Each structure stands twice: as C-alpha cells, then as structure tokens.
Amino acid sequence: NGTKFKIVGMEEFDSYAYDYMERKIAKYDKRIGSLLIAFSELEQTLDQATSFIISDRSDDIGKRITMGMSYIQKVELYSRLLKSYLVVSDKKDKLDTLKKCIDDLKAAGKIRNLVAHAKWMSLDEEGYVRSKASLDDDAFIEYRYYKLTPGELYRLERKINKIHSDFYDLVSSLHLI
C-alpha cells in the first residue's frame, strides 16, 4: 500500500506513552472513521454484487451463503463466481480486469486491517503507530510501526474509494449489480 514503516524491538516491558495520542486524537478520529466507512461501503457493494451473481431474483440466497464469511473469503468467492461467469458468457477479455480488481479488493482489506487493528495509543510524534508484533530470527519480539499521519490516512481512504469505484464500474458494465 506504499505506507512507510519501521521495525522496533520490544523493550523490557510492553508499554508506550499515551499522552501524545491523547493530545492529537482530534486530528485522527475523523480520518480513521472516514477510512473505515469508505471500506464499509466497498464491502457492502461486494456483498450486493455477490448476492446478485448468485441470484438476480433476491439477495436472500447470497446473504445466507456469505453471512458468516470474512471479507477475504467473500473476495475469493466473488472472484471464482465472476471468473466462471466471464468464461461461460464468452467475456474472457475481462479476465485481466477481474484479476486487477480482485488484487485491489485484497489490498483494500489489508489497508482496513492495518488501520482497524493499529494500537492507536502508541502513536509517536513522527506519526508512527504500532500495528503488528512478530518474532525476529533470534526469537525476540519486534513491532512493526506504520506511519499513519492524517494525510496518509486520507491518501489510503482515497485509494479505497478508487478501488470501490473501479469495482462498481466493472460489475455495472457487466450488468451484475
């Protein structure tokens, strides 16, 4: 997604200063919320498109199939269904567009997870926020910090909006929504 990050090893205790985020929360809450809403709109369109390709008579069957699925599972299901539709309906020229669209939908999910699961109270003065813990080669704990400034969050939100627009354009051009 192009977001800068840094790796930081864990100190003796897992702690960070809350005070910086407490002072800056007003600059972040709108951007975080807007990005999550944009993702929610994208996922709703994916749900509608999946239900439609399963049955154009009602969303009921599609919802029953997808209601317990994660976002990535829905993306994979939609990919399989649309690929089958394109092959059967002799629209193989759209397969490359489908692949790009699916890759973009997966990227949107990664962006959403990065923002939704970030440890926002770990925000530092450079705009880095902790997102993921892992073990290095010597089995020491290290954290991945992503630079998620309000400007970067806005850029990522626009990226999700573009993915949503491209996805909607594809499915509507095929009359599948």
Side-chain angles (χ1 to χ4, degrees), residues 121-137:
M121 298 311 289
S122 72
L123 181 73
D124 68 19
E125 292 183 19
E126 296 176 72
Y128 285 91
V129 63
R130 190 167 92 193
S131 181
K132 184 178 176 184
S134 59
L135 296 177
D136 69 11
D137 292 338

Side-chain angles (χ1 to χ4, degrees), residues 42 104-105 107-108 159-168:
L42 170 62
D104 288 348
L105 288 171
K159 186 172 184 173
I160 289 173
N161 287 333
K162 172 86 168 86
I163 291 167
H164 183 198
S165 177
D166 291 349
F167 176 63
Y168 186 83

Side-chain angles (χ1 to χ4, degrees), residues 48-62 175 177:
Q48 290 172 327
T50 303
S51 291
F52 189 89
I53 203 166
I54 291 170
S55 172
D56 61 355
R57 294 179 184 206
S58 167
D59 288 348
D60 184 75
I61 296 170
H175 308 290
I177 197 159

Side-chain angles (χ1 to χ4, degrees), residues 137-148:
D137 292 338
D138 296 320
F140 289 106
I141 296 172
E142 61 185 16
Y143 297 110
R144 185 169 287 221
Y145 282 76
Y146 285 89
K147 190 160 191 165
L148 295 175

Side-chain angles (χ1 to χ4, degrees), residues 72-87:
I72 195 67
Q73 289 170 326
K74 292 182 215 178
V75 170
E76 293 293 341
L77 174 63
Y78 191 76
S79 176
R80 290 190 302 269
L81 293 172
L82 188 55
K83 184 176 184 179
S84 177
Y85 170 82
L86 294 174
V87 170

